[in-house]
Amino acid sequence: MSKYDIYGLGAGLVDTEIEVDDAFLRTAGIEKGLMTLVDEARQIELMEHLKDRLVASKRASGGSAANTVIGAAHFGAKNYYSCKLANDENGDFYLADLLAANVDSDQGQRNPGITGKCLVMITPDAERTMNTFLGSSETLATSDLNLEALANAKYFYVEGYVVTSPTGRAAAIAGRQHAEQNAVKTALSLSDPGMVQFFKDGLKEMIGDGVDLLFCNKEEALGWTGSDNIEQAAERLKVDAKQFVITLGADGALLFDGHNMISINGCEADAIDTNGAGDMFAGAFLYALTAGQGFEQAGLLASRSAAQVVSQFGPRLRPEQYAGLKD
C-alpha cells in the first residue's frame, strides 16, 4: 500500500492576484497570457504601479504543482509536496497553507533568503498573466527531494516550470528516475506555452524516454509537437507519454488512456479568472485516478472542477466546494 497518492515537485510561490486591463499590460510591456520570469526589482516596480489596486488583491500560496497537489488533497488524496521556501514571513504563510490542506512537506530547515512571489494579473476577459520572481524556488535541488516519500507514492507529479532552474531541472530528472526505479508512475505538466517555446530541450530531458501521464493545453500541445491541428498533435504526443490529457478550455478535453481517445465536453461557466484552471484539472484528474476511477470519470470530474475554478477569483476552490463536485 502506498503512503501517498501524489508526490509533487515544484515552486513554492506566494501569489498576489490583481485585476488589471489590457492597457496596463501594454503600458507596462507585459506579454499577455504568459508566465514571465522577472527579478525582484521588476516585480517591486510593477507593484508600485499597481499600489492603488492592492486593497482588492488576494494573497494565496501557489505554484502550479502546489495548486494541483492541494486541490487533489481537498478531494481526499493523501499527498506530499517538495518545494523550496525561505525562512521569512511568506515562507511561514506558505507552509501553514500546505499543512492546512493536509499536505505533508519537509520544510523544517528553511534557509535565509526570499520566498518566491508571483504577481498574477487578471484581465476582464478572464485571462491570467503572470510575472514571477522565483526567489528561493530558483535553488530547488535534488537535495530537496524526500526519496523515501517519493518511493511510497502512486504518482510523481512535476510542473514544467521547474525547467527554468538548472538545479530544479536536475531535481525533476532525479525524481523521475527514482520513481521509475520504484514502480511509481510519472506525470508532468508542460505548464505554459512559454516553457514549450523557450525551454523545450530542458523539458525533453525531464521527460526522458517518456512519462506515464502528460498534461498540456491545446497551445502547448501544438507547440510541443509542431502540429497544425489537435488530432495530429495527439498522435505525436504518444511518443512522449503512455497516457495524456489535452485541455481545450470551454471545449473540454481530449484524453488518451493508452488505448483509446476520449473526448470530454466542457462545462458551462461564466469565466472571470482562468488562473489555476489547468492546475485544478490535473488535481481532480489525479485524485480520481488514484481513487480507482477510469479516465472518462476522471475527465468529467476534472472538467467540472476547472469550470468551477474559472467562475471565481483565485486558483483554488473553497474547501466546502469539493464535496459537491464529487457527487
Side-chain angles (χ1 to χ4, degrees):
M1 292 290 291
S2 300
K3 181 178 180 180
Y4 296 106
D5 293 305
I6 307 164
Y7 181 108
L9 177 71
L13 306 172
V14 173
D15 291 348
T16 300
E17 192 169 276
I18 302 178
E19 296 176 65
V20 301
D21 53 27
D22 286 347
F24 172 81
L25 296 180
R26 288 193 298 270
T27 301
I30 298 170
E31 190 167 359
K32 183 177 177 179
L34 297 182
M35 189 284 288
T36 303
L37 293 177
V38 297
D39 58 22
E40 189 180 26
R42 169 61 169 164
Q43 200 172 67
I44 290 173
E45 175 191 355
L46 291 172
M47 296 293 278
E48 179 64 23
H49 288 305
L50 291 164
K51 62 184 179 182
D52 293 338
R53 310 185 197 201
L54 287 177
V55 175
S57 68
K58 299 171 180 63
R59 187 175 75 153
S61 64
S64 176
N67 289 334
T68 292
V69 166
I70 291 173
H74 280 302
F75 277 115
K78 178 61 178 174
N79 301 334
Y80 191 102
Y81 190 61
S82 284
C83 60
K84 192 91 165 191
L85 304 175
N87 190 21
D88 58 5
E89 191 274 333
N90 274 338
D92 293 341
F93 170 84
Y94 194 98
L95 183 57
D97 215 25
L98 279 181
L99 296 177
N102 198 32
V103 174
D104 288 348
S105 186
D106 184 14
Q107 298 292 332
Q109 301 296 320
R110 287 184 280 149
N111 298 321
I114 302 171
T115 295
K117 297 176 286 186
C118 182
L119 177 59
V120 184
M121 293 159 282
I122 309 299
T123 40
D125 60 358
E127 182 65 88
R128 100 286 185 267
T129 301
M130 299 182 291
N131 273 210
T132 302
F133 166 61
L134 286 173
S136 56
S137 287
E138 190 170 8
T139 61
L140 179 70
T142 302
S143 59
D144 296 305
L145 293 169
N146 184 323
L147 296 179
E148 182 180 355
L150 199 166
N152 282 282
K154 295 178 183 177
Y155 274 91
F156 171 61
Y157 176 80
V158 59
E159 63 180 64
Y161 289 123
V162 303
V163 73
T164 64
S165 161
T167 57
R169 184 167 66 251
I173 294 169
R176 173 181 53 76
Q177 292 170 340
H178 191 69
E180 291 167 346
Q181 292 163 7
N182 288 275
V184 175
K185 290 186 177 181
T186 55
L188 180 139
S189 168
L190 293 181
S191 294
D192 189 273
M195 299 301 99
V196 172
Q197 182 178 357
F198 299 113
F199 296 95
K200 189 172 185 177
D201 288 343
L203 286 169
K204 286 183 176 180
E205 290 182 57
M206 287 165 53
I207 289 172
D209 292 332
V211 292
D212 290 296
L213 178 58
L214 184 72
F215 292 92
C216 58
N217 64 25
K218 181 179 180 179
E219 187 176 355
E220 293 155 5
L222 295 176
W224 179 259
T225 59
S227 302
D228 296 323
N229 58 73
I230 203 65
E231 292 77 19
Q232 185 183 66
E235 194 60 34
R236 292 178 178 177
L237 279 178
K238 294 177 183 178
V239 174
D240 298 305
K242 295 176 184 176
Q243 302 172 320
F244 56 78
V245 170
I246 306 174
T247 57
L248 304 172
D251 293 327
L254 181 64
L255 320 175
F256 179 63
D257 66 1
H259 302 284
N260 302 302
M261 292 288 185
I262 303 167
S263 292
I264 298 295
N265 293 329
C267 297
E268 288 190 19
D270 183 12
I272 62 172
D273 179 4
T274 58
N275 182 33
D279 302 336
M280 178 58 70
F281 194 105
F285 197 89
L286 284 169
Y287 156 73
L289 290 187
T290 57
Q293 298 179 29
F295 254 59
E296 185 168 6
Q297 286 177 292
L300 291 170
L301 174 64
S303 183
R304 292 196 301 271
S305 302
Q308 182 69 60
V309 86
V310 302
S311 68
Q312 60 194 56
F313 284 104
R316 295 201 295 272
L317 302 175
R318 298 184 302 277
E320 67 272 13
Q321 292 179 290
Y322 292 88
L325 288 165
K326 290 166 65 175
D327 293 339

